[in-house]
Amino acid sequence: MAIKGIIFDMDGTLIDSQLDFDQMRTDMNLPPNAPILETVEEYSGSRRQECEQILKRHEQRGVEQATVFPGIPALLLHAESLGLKMAIVTRNLHEFAMEMLQMLPVTFAPVIGREHGPVKPDPWALLYICQQWNIEPHEAIMAGDYRFDLEAGKHAGCTTLWFSQKRVIGASDWHGLADYTLENNFLGKQLLDEILENHRDQT
Ligand SMILES: [Mg+2]
């Protein structure tokens, strides 16, 4: 079961859009740690509209501030040189994603935003991508920086790769969902080689 593709989360993984989810919750008056999209979806009328506007305002600012995390371009070019397919699954909007992804040196296809279907941690988008790529979920890596990415990866049956960024490993109950952890983006090439080697066909 060789690895044939990587499905990436975008915000906080490849792109530093500086989205402050705690500040979003404060601005929307949501409970601490509430999943934003799911909580807003339960609201209706003007309350929901107000939250959606706040969210979009934060995301728009994110697009304007966005930078690429150091070490990411080299990692992506390495993945491309290995012949791996690459896609994006984001809880952000597709239009914002397409704008930010222009900063990266490789092409992602497909790019799935939240308007396309059930969002992570639902595995829908991951399974859809594997189907498009004509591969099995266990032949794909789901790579991301947060709980939803690893949960979606596990639900789909993918190998999970956690970009820990600046988080303290083991500090949250979901860190154990990572099959592999990348602590330093500049070590990404070696880790990718290691994962591919571990999953190489035994035939
Ligand atoms: Mg993220």
Side-chain angles (χ1 to χ4, degrees):
M1 52 175 235
I3 295 292
K4 295 177 179 157
I6 313 179
I7 302 168
F8 287 99
D9 168 55
M10 183 184 66
D11 295 291
T13 298
L14 306 178
I15 303 275
D16 187 3
S17 43
Q18 298 172 50
L19 292 179
D20 186 341
F21 296 106
D22 288 330
Q23 188 61 49
M24 283 187 210
R25 289 185 194 95
T26 304
D27 293 352
M28 295 179 194
N29 202 12
L30 303 188
N33 295 318
I36 292 170
L37 298 179
E38 290 82 349
T39 308
V40 170
E41 197 154 278
E42 285 168 19
Y43 297 151
S44 56
S46 60
R47 173 80 171 112
R48 179 165 173 166
Q49 266 185 2
E50 183 197 21
C51 288
E52 284 171 348
Q53 280 166 8
I54 291 168
L55 176 60
K56 203 158 182 192
R57 200 161 60 230
H58 274 273
E59 288 172 332
Q60 179 69 56
R61 199 181 314 140
V63 174
E64 289 155 15
Q65 295 174 339
T67 55
V68 176
F69 279 115
I72 291 296
L75 169 56
L76 295 174
L77 289 170
H78 183 64
E80 186 178 60
S81 75
L82 295 170
L84 296 171
K85 301 170 191 292
M86 287 181 271
I88 296 283
V89 175
T90 177
R91 284 164 62 97
N92 208 321
L93 290 168
H94 181 259
E95 58 168 300
F96 289 156
M98 292 311 286
E99 213 173 319
M100 289 188 266
L101 291 171
Q102 287 178 22
M103 295 190 289
L104 298 173
V106 299
T107 304
F108 301 91
V111 175
I112 307 292
R114 68 167 172 265
E115 60 272 68
H116 293 144
V119 295
K120 295 172 290 185
D122 192 293
W124 171 79
L126 285 62
L127 297 173
Y128 170 79
I129 289 167
C130 290
Q131 204 176 29
Q132 293 290 305
W133 284 350
N134 203 18
I135 68 170
E136 297 294 325
H138 64 252
E139 295 172 314
I141 296 170
M142 176 65 218
D145 71 306
Y146 192 52
R147 169 195 291 269
F148 300 137
D149 307 313
L150 302 184
E151 286 176 345
K154 284 292 171 191
H155 292 155
C158 301
T159 293
T160 52
L161 169 57
W162 179 39
F163 283 51
S164 66
Q165 304 294 14
K166 288 161 195 145
R167 291 190 178 88
V168 178
I169 295 169
S172 285
D173 58 359
W174 51 270
H175 292 175
L177 294 172
D179 295 321
Y180 297 92
T181 299
L182 179 62
E183 293 180 60
N184 176 344
N185 293 344
F186 290 100
L187 301 177
K189 284 171 29 173
Q190 288 96 305
L191 182 57
L192 198 52
D193 288 345
E194 185 191 321
I195 297 172
L196 261 61
E197 184 58 36
N198 288 347
H199 290 259
R200 202 165 294 286
D201 278 325
Q202 300 300 318
T203 52

